Coordinates of all heavy atoms in Angstrom, one line a residue:
M1 N -14.7 7.4 30.6 CA -14.7 6.1 30.1 C -15.6 5.9 28.9 O -16.6 6.5 28.7 CB -15.3 5.2 31.3 CG -14.4 4.1 31.7 SD -15.2 3.0 32.8 CE -15.8 4.0 34.1
K2 N -15.1 4.9 28.0 CA -15.8 4.7 26.8 C -16.4 3.3 26.8 O -16.0 2.5 27.6 CB -14.8 4.9 25.6 CG -14.2 6.2 25.5 CD -13.2 6.2 24.4 CE -12.5 7.6 24.2 NZ -11.5 7.6 23.2
T3 N -17.2 3.1 25.8 CA -17.7 1.7 25.6 C -16.7 0.9 24.8 O -16.1 1.3 23.9 CB -19.0 1.8 24.8 OG1 -19.9 2.6 25.5 CG2 -19.6 0.4 24.6
C4 N -16.5 -0.4 25.3 CA -15.6 -1.3 24.7 C -16.2 -1.8 23.4 O -17.3 -2.4 23.5 CB -15.3 -2.4 25.8 SG -14.3 -3.7 25.1
P5 N -15.4 -1.8 22.3 CA -16.0 -2.4 21.1 C -16.1 -3.9 21.1 O -16.9 -4.5 20.3 CB -14.9 -2.0 20.0 CG -14.0 -1.1 20.7 CD -14.1 -1.3 22.2
R6 N -15.4 -4.6 22.0 CA -15.5 -6.0 22.1 C -16.7 -6.5 22.9 O -17.5 -7.3 22.4 CB -14.2 -6.6 22.6 CG -14.2 -8.1 22.6 CD -12.9 -8.7 23.3 NE -12.9 -10.1 23.3 CZ -12.1 -10.8 24.0 NH1 -11.3 -10.2 24.9 NH2 -12.2 -12.1 24.0
C7 N -16.8 -6.0 24.1 CA -17.8 -6.6 25.1 C -19.0 -5.7 25.2 O -20.0 -6.1 25.7 CB -17.2 -6.9 26.4 SG -16.7 -5.4 27.4
G8 N -18.9 -4.5 24.7 CA -20.0 -3.5 24.7 C -20.3 -2.9 26.1 O -21.3 -2.2 26.2
Q9 N -19.5 -3.2 27.1 CA -19.6 -2.6 28.4 C -18.8 -1.3 28.5 O -17.8 -1.1 27.7 CB -19.2 -3.6 29.5 CG -20.1 -4.8 29.4 CD -19.9 -5.7 30.6 OE1 -20.3 -5.4 31.8 NE2 -19.1 -6.8 30.4
S10 N -19.1 -0.4 29.5 CA -18.4 0.8 29.5 C -17.2 0.8 30.4 O -17.1 1.5 31.4 CB -19.4 1.9 30.0 OG -19.9 1.5 31.2
G11 N -16.3 -0.2 30.1 CA -15.2 -0.3 30.9 C -13.8 0.0 30.2 O -12.7 -0.4 30.7
L12 N -13.9 0.7 29.1 CA -12.7 1.0 28.3 C -12.0 2.3 28.9 O -12.6 3.3 28.9 CB -13.1 1.2 26.9 CG -11.9 1.3 25.9 CD1 -11.2 -0.1 25.8 CD2 -12.4 1.6 24.5
H13 N -10.7 2.1 29.2 CA -9.9 3.2 29.8 C -8.7 3.4 28.9 O -8.1 2.4 28.3 CB -9.4 2.8 31.1 CG -10.4 2.7 32.2 ND1 -10.9 3.7 32.9 CD2 -11.1 1.6 32.6 CE1 -11.8 3.3 33.8 NE2 -11.9 2.0 33.6
R14 N -8.3 4.6 28.8 CA -6.9 5.0 28.3 C -6.0 4.9 29.5 O -6.3 5.5 30.5 CB -6.9 6.4 27.7 CG -5.7 6.7 26.9 CD -5.9 7.9 26.0 NE -4.7 8.4 25.4 CZ -3.9 9.3 25.9 NH1 -4.2 9.9 27.1 NH2 -2.8 9.6 25.3
V15 N -5.0 4.1 29.4 CA -4.2 3.7 30.6 C -2.7 3.9 30.2 O -2.3 3.8 29.0 CB -4.4 2.4 31.2 CG1 -5.9 2.2 31.5 CG2 -4.0 1.3 30.2
S16 N -1.8 4.0 31.2 CA -0.4 3.8 31.0 C 0.0 2.6 31.8 O -0.5 2.3 32.9 CB 0.4 5.0 31.3 OG 0.5 5.2 32.7
L17 N 0.9 1.8 31.2 CA 1.4 0.6 31.8 C 2.8 0.9 32.4 O 3.8 1.0 31.7 CB 1.5 -0.6 30.7 CG 0.2 -0.9 30.0 CD1 0.5 -1.8 28.8 CD2 -0.8 -1.4 30.9
T18 N 2.7 0.9 33.8 CA 3.9 1.3 34.5 C 5.1 0.3 34.2 O 6.3 0.7 34.3 CB 3.7 1.4 36.0 OG1 3.2 0.2 36.5 CG2 2.7 2.6 36.2
A19 N 4.8 -1.0 34.0 CA 5.8 -2.0 33.8 C 6.5 -1.9 32.4 O 7.5 -2.5 32.2 CB 5.3 -3.4 34.1
L20 N 5.9 -1.1 31.5 CA 6.4 -1.0 30.2 C 6.7 0.5 29.9 O 6.3 1.0 28.9 CB 5.3 -1.5 29.2 CG 5.0 -3.0 29.3 CD1 3.9 -3.4 28.3 CD2 6.3 -3.8 29.0
D21 N 7.5 1.1 30.7 CA 7.9 2.5 30.6 C 6.7 3.4 30.3 O 6.7 4.4 29.5 CB 8.8 2.6 29.4 CG 10.1 1.9 29.6 OD1 10.5 1.8 30.8 OD2 10.7 1.4 28.7
N22 N 5.6 3.2 31.0 CA 4.4 4.0 30.9 C 3.8 4.1 29.5 O 3.3 5.1 29.1 CB 4.6 5.4 31.5 CG 4.9 5.3 33.0 OD1 4.3 4.7 33.7 ND2 5.9 6.1 33.4
R23 N 3.9 3.0 28.8 CA 3.3 2.9 27.5 C 1.8 3.1 27.6 O 1.1 2.6 28.4 CB 3.6 1.5 26.9 CG 3.1 1.3 25.5 CD 3.4 -0.1 25.0 NE 4.8 -0.4 25.0 CZ 5.3 -1.6 24.7 NH1 4.5 -2.6 24.4 NH2 6.6 -1.8 24.8
V24 N 1.3 4.0 26.7 CA -0.1 4.3 26.7 C -0.9 3.4 25.7 O -0.5 3.3 24.6 CB -0.3 5.7 26.3 CG1 -1.8 6.1 26.3 CG2 0.3 6.7 27.3
V25 N -1.9 2.7 26.3 CA -2.7 1.8 25.5 C -4.2 2.0 25.9 O -4.5 2.7 26.8 CB -2.3 0.3 25.7 CG1 -0.9 0.1 25.2 CG2 -2.5 -0.1 27.1
Y26 N -5.1 1.3 25.2 CA -6.5 1.3 25.7 C -6.7 -0.1 26.3 O -6.3 -1.2 25.7 CB -7.5 1.5 24.5 CG -7.6 3.0 24.2 CD1 -6.7 3.7 23.3 CD2 -8.6 3.8 24.8 CE1 -6.8 5.0 23.0 CE2 -8.7 5.1 24.6 CZ -7.9 5.7 23.7 OH -8.0 7.0 23.4
L27 N -7.4 -0.2 27.4 CA -7.6 -1.4 28.1 C -9.0 -1.4 28.7 O -9.5 -0.4 29.3 CB -6.6 -1.5 29.2 CG -6.7 -2.8 30.1 CD1 -6.5 -4.1 29.3 CD2 -5.6 -2.7 31.2
C28 N -9.8 -2.6 28.5 CA -11.1 -2.7 29.0 C -11.0 -3.5 30.3 O -10.5 -4.6 30.4 CB -12.0 -3.5 28.1 SG -13.6 -3.9 28.7
E29 N -11.6 -2.9 31.4 CA -11.5 -3.5 32.7 C -12.6 -4.7 32.8 O -12.5 -5.5 33.7 CB -11.7 -2.6 33.8 CG -13.1 -1.9 33.8 CD -13.2 -0.8 35.0 OE1 -12.2 -0.8 35.8 OE2 -14.2 -0.1 35.0
E30 N -13.5 -4.7 31.9 CA -14.5 -5.8 31.9 C -14.0 -7.1 31.3 O -14.2 -8.1 31.8 CB -15.8 -5.3 31.2 CG -16.4 -4.0 31.9 CD -17.0 -4.3 33.3 OE1 -17.2 -5.5 33.6 OE2 -17.1 -3.3 34.0
C31 N -13.4 -7.0 30.1 CA -13.0 -8.2 29.3 C -11.5 -8.3 29.2 O -11.1 -9.2 28.5 CB -13.8 -8.3 28.0 SG -13.3 -7.0 26.8
D32 N -10.7 -7.4 29.7 CA -9.3 -7.5 29.7 C -8.7 -7.4 28.2 O -7.6 -7.8 27.9 CB -8.8 -8.7 30.3 CG -8.8 -8.7 31.8 OD1 -9.3 -7.6 32.3 OD2 -8.4 -9.6 32.5
S33 N -9.5 -6.8 27.3 CA -9.0 -6.6 25.9 C -8.1 -5.3 26.0 O -8.4 -4.3 26.6 CB -10.2 -6.3 25.0 OG -11.0 -7.5 24.9
L34 N -7.0 -5.4 25.2 CA -6.1 -4.3 25.1 C -5.8 -3.9 23.7 O -5.7 -4.8 22.8 CB -4.7 -4.8 25.8 CG -3.6 -3.8 25.9 CD1 -2.8 -4.1 27.2 CD2 -2.8 -3.8 24.7
W35 N -5.8 -2.6 23.4 CA -5.5 -2.1 22.1 C -4.2 -1.3 22.2 O -4.1 -0.4 23.0 CB -6.6 -1.2 21.6 CG -7.8 -1.8 21.1 CD1 -8.1 -2.2 19.8 CD2 -8.9 -2.4 21.9 NE1 -9.3 -2.8 19.7 CE2 -9.8 -2.9 21.0 CE3 -9.2 -2.4 23.3 CZ2 -11.0 -3.5 21.4 CZ3 -10.3 -3.0 23.7 CH2 -11.2 -3.6 22.8
D36 N -3.2 -1.8 21.4 CA -1.9 -1.2 21.6 C -1.8 0.1 20.7 O -1.2 0.1 19.6 CB -0.9 -2.2 21.0 CG 0.6 -1.8 21.3 OD1 0.8 -0.7 21.9 OD2 1.5 -2.5 20.9
T37 N -2.5 1.1 21.2 CA -2.5 2.4 20.4 C -2.6 3.5 21.4 O -3.2 3.3 22.5 CB -3.7 2.4 19.5 OG1 -3.7 3.7 18.9 CG2 -5.0 2.2 20.3
Q38 N -2.0 4.6 21.1 CA -1.9 5.7 22.1 C -3.0 6.7 21.9 O -3.4 7.3 22.9 CB -0.6 6.5 21.9 CG 0.6 5.8 22.3 CD 1.7 6.7 22.5 OE1 1.6 7.9 23.0 NE2 2.9 6.3 22.2
D39 N -3.5 6.9 20.7 CA -4.5 7.9 20.5 C -5.9 7.5 20.4 O -6.8 7.9 21.2 CB -4.1 8.8 19.3 CG -3.5 7.9 18.1 OD1 -3.6 6.7 18.2 OD2 -3.0 8.5 17.2
E40 N -6.2 6.6 19.4 CA -7.6 6.2 19.3 C -7.6 4.8 18.7 O -6.6 4.3 18.1 CB -8.4 7.1 18.4 CG -7.9 7.2 17.1 CD -8.8 8.1 16.2 OE1 -9.9 7.8 16.0 OE2 -8.3 9.1 15.6
I41 N -8.7 4.1 18.9 CA -8.8 2.7 18.4 C -9.3 2.9 16.9 O -10.4 3.3 16.7 CB -9.8 1.9 19.2 CG1 -9.2 1.7 20.6 CG2 -10.0 0.5 18.6 CD1 -10.1 1.1 21.6
R42 N -8.4 2.5 16.0 CA -8.9 2.6 14.6 C -9.4 1.2 14.1 O -10.3 1.1 13.2 CB -7.7 3.0 13.7 CG -7.2 4.4 14.0 CD -6.3 4.9 13.0 NE -6.0 6.3 13.2 CZ -5.0 6.7 14.1 NH1 -4.3 5.9 14.7 NH2 -4.8 8.0 14.2
D43 N -8.9 0.1 14.6 CA -9.3 -1.2 14.2 C -9.9 -1.9 15.5 O -9.1 -2.4 16.3 CB -8.2 -2.0 13.6 CG -8.6 -3.4 13.1 OD1 -9.8 -3.8 13.3 OD2 -7.8 -4.1 12.6
E44 N -11.2 -2.0 15.5 CA -11.8 -2.5 16.7 C -11.5 -4.0 16.9 O -11.6 -4.5 18.0 CB -13.3 -2.3 16.6 CG -13.7 -0.9 16.7 CD -15.2 -0.7 16.6 OE1 -16.0 -1.6 16.4 OE2 -15.7 0.5 16.8
A45 N -11.2 -4.7 15.8 CA -10.8 -6.1 16.0 C -9.4 -6.4 16.4 O -9.0 -7.5 16.6 CB -11.2 -6.9 14.6
A46 N -8.6 -5.3 16.4 CA -7.1 -5.5 16.7 C -6.8 -5.5 18.2 O -5.8 -4.9 18.5 CB -6.4 -4.4 15.9
Y47 N -7.6 -6.2 19.0 CA -7.3 -6.3 20.3 C -6.5 -7.5 20.7 O -6.5 -8.5 20.0 CB -8.5 -6.2 21.2 CG -9.5 -7.4 20.9 CD1 -9.3 -8.6 21.5 CD2 -10.6 -7.2 20.1 CE1 -10.1 -9.7 21.3 CE2 -11.4 -8.3 19.8 CZ -11.2 -9.5 20.5 OH -12.0 -10.5 20.2
V48 N -5.8 -7.5 21.8 CA -5.1 -8.6 22.4 C -5.5 -8.8 23.8 O -6.0 -7.8 24.4 CB -3.6 -8.5 22.3 CG1 -3.1 -8.6 20.9 CG2 -3.1 -7.3 22.9
D49 N -5.4 -9.9 24.4 CA -5.7 -10.1 25.8 C -4.6 -9.5 26.6 O -3.4 -9.6 26.4 CB -5.8 -11.6 26.0 CG -6.1 -11.9 27.5 OD1 -7.3 -11.8 27.8 OD2 -5.2 -12.3 28.2
F50 N -5.0 -8.8 27.6 CA -4.1 -8.1 28.5 C -3.0 -9.0 29.1 O -1.8 -8.7 29.0 CB -4.8 -7.4 29.7 CG -4.0 -6.8 30.7 CD1 -3.0 -5.9 30.4 CD2 -4.3 -7.0 32.1 CE1 -2.3 -5.3 31.4 CE2 -3.6 -6.4 33.1 CZ -2.5 -5.6 32.8
T51 N -3.4 -10.2 29.5 CA -2.5 -11.1 30.1 C -1.4 -11.6 29.1 O -0.2 -11.6 29.4 CB -3.2 -12.3 30.7 OG1 -4.2 -11.9 31.6 CG2 -2.3 -13.3 31.4
Q52 N -1.9 -11.9 27.9 CA -1.0 -12.3 26.9 C -0.1 -11.2 26.4 O 1.1 -11.4 26.1 CB -1.8 -12.8 25.7 CG -2.5 -14.2 25.9 CD -3.4 -14.6 24.8 OE1 -3.4 -14.0 23.8 NE2 -4.0 -15.8 24.9
Y53 N -0.6 -10.0 26.3 CA 0.2 -8.9 25.9 C 1.4 -8.7 26.9 O 2.6 -8.4 26.4 CB -0.7 -7.7 25.9 CG 0.0 -6.4 25.5 CD1 0.2 -6.1 24.1 CD2 0.6 -5.4 26.3 CE1 0.7 -4.9 23.6 CE2 1.2 -4.3 25.9 CZ 1.2 -4.0 24.6 OH 1.9 -2.9 24.1
M54 N 1.1 -8.7 28.2 CA 2.2 -8.6 29.2 C 3.1 -9.8 29.1 O 4.3 -9.6 29.3 CB 1.6 -8.4 30.6 CG 0.7 -7.1 30.7 SD 1.5 -5.6 30.2 CE 2.3 -5.1 31.8
Q55 N 2.6 -11.0 29.0 CA 3.5 -12.1 28.9 C 4.5 -12.0 27.7 O 5.6 -12.4 27.8 CB 2.6 -13.4 28.7 CG 2.2 -13.9 30.1 CD 1.2 -15.1 30.0 OE1 0.9 -15.5 28.9 NE2 0.8 -15.7 31.1
K56 N 3.9 -11.5 26.6 CA 4.8 -11.4 25.4 C 6.0 -10.4 25.7 O 7.0 -10.5 25.1 CB 4.1 -10.8 24.2 CG 3.5 -11.8 23.3 CD 3.2 -11.3 21.9 CE 2.1 -10.3 21.9 NZ 1.6 -9.9 20.6
N57 N 5.7 -9.5 26.7 CA 6.8 -8.6 27.1 C 7.6 -9.1 28.3 O 8.3 -8.3 28.9 CB 6.2 -7.2 27.4 CG 5.8 -6.5 26.1 OD1 6.6 -5.9 25.4 ND2 4.5 -6.5 25.8
G58 N 7.3 -10.4 28.7 CA 8.1 -10.9 29.7 C 7.6 -10.6 31.1 O 8.4 -10.6 32.1
I59 N 6.4 -10.1 31.2 CA 5.8 -9.6 32.5 C 4.6 -10.3 32.9 O 3.7 -10.6 32.0 CB 5.6 -8.0 32.4 CG1 6.9 -7.3 32.1 CG2 4.9 -7.5 33.6 CD1 6.8 -6.0 31.5
T60 N 4.4 -10.6 34.1 CA 3.2 -11.2 34.6 C 2.1 -10.1 34.8 O 2.4 -9.1 35.5 CB 3.4 -11.9 35.9 OG1 4.3 -13.0 35.7 CG2 2.1 -12.6 36.4
A61 N 1.0 -10.2 34.1 CA 0.1 -9.1 34.1 C -0.6 -8.9 35.5 O -0.9 -9.8 36.1 CB -1.0 -9.4 33.1
S62 N -0.7 -7.6 35.8 CA -1.4 -7.2 37.1 C -2.0 -5.9 36.9 O -1.4 -5.0 36.3 CB -0.3 -7.2 38.2 OG -0.8 -6.5 39.3
W63 N -3.2 -5.7 37.5 CA -3.8 -4.4 37.4 C -3.1 -3.4 38.2 O -3.3 -2.1 38.1 CB -5.3 -4.5 37.8 CG -6.1 -5.1 36.7 CD1 -6.3 -6.4 36.5 CD2 -6.8 -4.4 35.7 NE1 -7.1 -6.6 35.3 CE2 -7.4 -5.3 34.9 CE3 -6.9 -3.0 35.4 CZ2 -8.2 -5.0 33.7 CZ3 -7.6 -2.7 34.2 CH2 -8.3 -3.6 33.4
Q64 N -2.1 -3.8 39.0 CA -1.3 -2.8 39.8 C -0.4 -2.1 38.8 O 0.2 -1.1 39.2 CB -0.5 -3.5 40.9 CG -1.4 -4.0 42.0 CD -0.6 -4.8 43.0 OE1 0.5 -5.1 42.8 NE2 -1.3 -5.1 44.1
Q65 N -0.1 -2.7 37.6 CA 0.8 -2.0 36.6 C 0.0 -1.1 35.8 O 0.5 -0.5 34.8 CB 1.4 -3.1 35.7 CG 2.2 -4.1 36.5 CD 2.2 -5.4 35.8 OE1 1.6 -5.7 34.7 NE2 3.1 -6.3 36.3
V66 N -1.3 -0.9 36.0 CA -2.2 -0.1 35.1 C -2.5 1.2 35.8 O -3.0 1.2 36.9 CB -3.5 -0.9 34.8 CG1 -4.4 0.0 34.0 CG2 -3.2 -2.2 34.1
K67 N -2.2 2.3 35.2 CA -2.5 3.6 35.7 C -3.5 4.2 34.8 O -3.3 4.5 33.6 CB -1.3 4.4 35.8 CG -1.4 5.8 36.4 CD -0.1 6.5 36.6 CE -0.3 8.0 36.7 NZ 0.8 8.7 36.1
M68 N -4.7 4.5 35.3 CA -5.8 5.1 34.5 C -5.5 6.5 34.2 O -5.1 7.3 35.0 CB -7.1 5.0 35.3 CG -7.6 3.6 35.8 SD -8.3 2.6 34.5 CE -8.6 1.1 35.5
L69 N -5.7 6.8 32.9 CA -5.5 8.2 32.5 C -6.8 8.9 32.3 O -6.9 10.1 32.3 CB -4.7 8.2 31.2 CG -3.3 7.6 31.2 CD1 -2.7 7.7 29.9 CD2 -2.5 8.3 32.3
D70 N -7.9 8.1 32.0 CA -9.3 8.8 31.9 C -10.3 7.7 32.3 O -10.0 6.6 32.7 CB -9.5 9.4 30.6 CG -9.5 8.4 29.4 OD1 -9.5 7.2 29.7 OD2 -9.4 8.9 28.3
Ligands
ZN101 ZN1 -14.5 -5.0 27.0

């Protein structure tokens, strides 16, 4: 687990989203910030809200769709 650039807490996970064909992103379990990147976070300010990200893809966000990779 890494430190989240947004909230500063150690809740940042590399995850796959089962509802989006196991797309790999970074997601903070503390503040629900999501970085749409597979490898590393290059732009710390380029986060979106997990709920909004899933809504944009037509899906109601749920942590049941999140599979932790590390
Ligand atoms: Zn956070």
Side-chain angles (χ1 to χ4, degrees):
M1 232 188 313
K2 299 177 182 178
T3 301
C4 171
R6 183 187 181 197
C7 69
Q9 301 190 72
S10 57
L12 191 65
H13 296 272
R14 193 163 170 266
V15 305
S16 75
L17 302 173
T18 56
L20 296 176
D21 296 328
N22 293 316
R23 183 181 303 174
V24 176
V25 300
Y26 280 88
L27 179 62
C28 175
E29 66 182 352
E30 300 292 341
C31 66
D32 286 1
S33 296
L34 183 150
W35 284 262
D36 189 2
T37 177
Q38 289 198 37
D39 37 10
E40 61 177 302
I41 296 173
R42 293 193 177 84
D43 184 356
E44 294 182 350
Y47 61 82
V48 292
D49 181 77
F50 173 49
T51 304
Q52 290 175 0
Y53 183 83
M54 297 306 271
Q55 274 176 357
K56 264 200 295 188
N57 287 281
I59 295 159
T60 302
S62 161
W63 281 88
Q64 292 178 347
Q65 300 155 354
V66 175
K67 188 174 155 213
M68 304 280 180
L69 300 177
D70 62 16

